[in-house]
Amino acid sequence: NVEDAEKPDKPRTYFLFRPQKFPLVSELDTVFSDQLRAHIQNRDALMLNSPKDLAFVSYALESAGSDIPIYANVTRSFPRAFGINNVLPRASTLFSIDDLLRYARTILGDSISTLSNHAMMNSIWNAMGSPKDDRFLIVTFGSEGAIGQDRRNRYHVGLSHSYRGDIQPHLKKALGAGDTFVSYAMHAHLDKGIKRVDEILQYATQGVLIHMGFAGNVPSSAYVIEKA
């Protein structure tokens, strides 16, 4: 049960990395560079959300090292070669279906029309190194829910059509739903200690509904959870 997950002993802190434009690392003075590195290393996680400056992303990844969990919302702001070589092997990753298509095409070099969601997710999971730790891969499909992969299983989690119809009149705000889903997924994984990806998806779905104006708790019977 999502609510029964173990809670951390202390509040977590994150280094949220979403710069639009920063000076090149080579142009920074040593004092600022050292302060930035220390700032990242004193956090419990690094979150990459649509950064535009790859020099800074590289510096942040280097500063995080192997001990700090990394989460990445993989969007078109990452050049695909950089994402495949530098981000996927290290991070828990979240994709929209459109960005999954782009990355799978680059990795597999095949006609995308011949590939299923299963095959595309396999290509990303393999590029992540088929993690044996608690990292996850999530692909969102808008109102159709999301598919999540962890080292144990792959699940599709969504809301039943009847329940979506019941709550639709209460949903007022769509802007920011994607970023909200990413934030709640990371919060579930790191703060709540939830490691099963199907439970992470349920938690993130509830968070998005709250963001969109629905104040009620989603009953477990409203979810459609299937192995994918």
Side-chain angles (χ1 to χ4, degrees):
N1 186 292
V2 170
E3 292 302 322
D4 293 335
E6 182 180 351
K7 295 182 179 179
D9 294 331
K10 64 181 180 64
R12 303 285 188 170
T13 56
Y14 311 91
F15 188 87
L16 175 61
F17 206 79
R18 194 178 184 177
Q20 296 300 311
K21 185 177 181 181
F22 271 77
L24 294 176
V25 172
S26 59
E27 297 174 355
L28 298 177
D29 62 75
T30 303
V31 172
F32 182 82
S33 297
D34 290 344
Q35 289 175 343
L36 177 61
R37 182 186 299 274
H39 187 66
I40 293 172
Q41 292 174 344
N42 287 330
R43 295 297 181 264
D44 293 298
L46 171 66
M47 175 63 193
L48 304 173
N49 190 16
S50 304
K52 304 297 190 294
D53 191 317
L54 295 188
F56 257 70
V57 174
S58 297
Y59 190 77
L61 289 170
E62 178 190 345
S63 299
S66 59
D67 297 328
I68 297 176
I70 300 170
Y71 300 85
N73 186 20
V74 183
T75 66
R76 65 189 67 194
S77 66
F78 286 113
R80 275 168 273 176
F82 180 88
I84 291 167
N85 294 322
N86 299 86
V87 178
L88 298 190
R90 303 186 58 188
S92 288
T93 57
L94 300 101
F95 287 80
S96 69
I97 181 57
D98 291 337
D99 289 309
L100 179 73
L101 293 172
R102 280 188 280 272
Y103 268 74
R105 183 186 293 119
T106 300
I107 292 170
L108 296 173
D110 202 351
S111 170
I112 207 65
S113 63
T114 66
L115 297 174
S116 64
N117 290 338
H118 181 76
M120 290 188 288
M121 287 195 70
N122 280 346
S123 72
I124 301 298
W125 190 248
N126 291 335
M128 291 173 64
S130 300
K132 299 296 187 280
D133 54 17
D134 288 324
R135 286 191 294 146
F136 59 76
L137 162 64
I138 289 174
V139 180
T140 58
F141 293 83
S143 62
E144 298 302 314
I147 296 178
Q149 167 89 53
D150 60 25
R151 60 185 171 87
R152 304 165 192 85
N153 285 298
R154 180 179 296 171
Y155 290 97
H156 176 265
V157 175
L159 297 172
S160 69
H161 286 284
S162 60
Y163 188 79
R164 282 159 45 192
D166 290 342
I167 66 172
Q168 187 61 44
H170 302 282
L171 304 182
K172 307 298 184 184
K173 179 182 178 184
L175 183 65
D179 284 343
T180 300
F181 187 95
V182 171
S183 299
Y184 271 87
M186 185 177 71
H187 176 59
H189 192 244
L190 194 66
D191 287 328
K192 292 285 189 178
I194 301 171
K195 303 306 179 186
R196 285 176 52 112
V197 74
D198 56 323
E199 295 181 351
I200 292 172
L201 293 177
Q202 291 176 69
Y203 189 87
T205 299
Q206 174 76 71
V208 169
L209 293 179
I210 292 171
H211 169 78
M212 295 178 72
F214 180 68
N217 290 321
V218 180
S220 58
S221 59
Y223 289 103
V224 178
I225 304 172
E226 301 171 329
K227 285 194 174 180

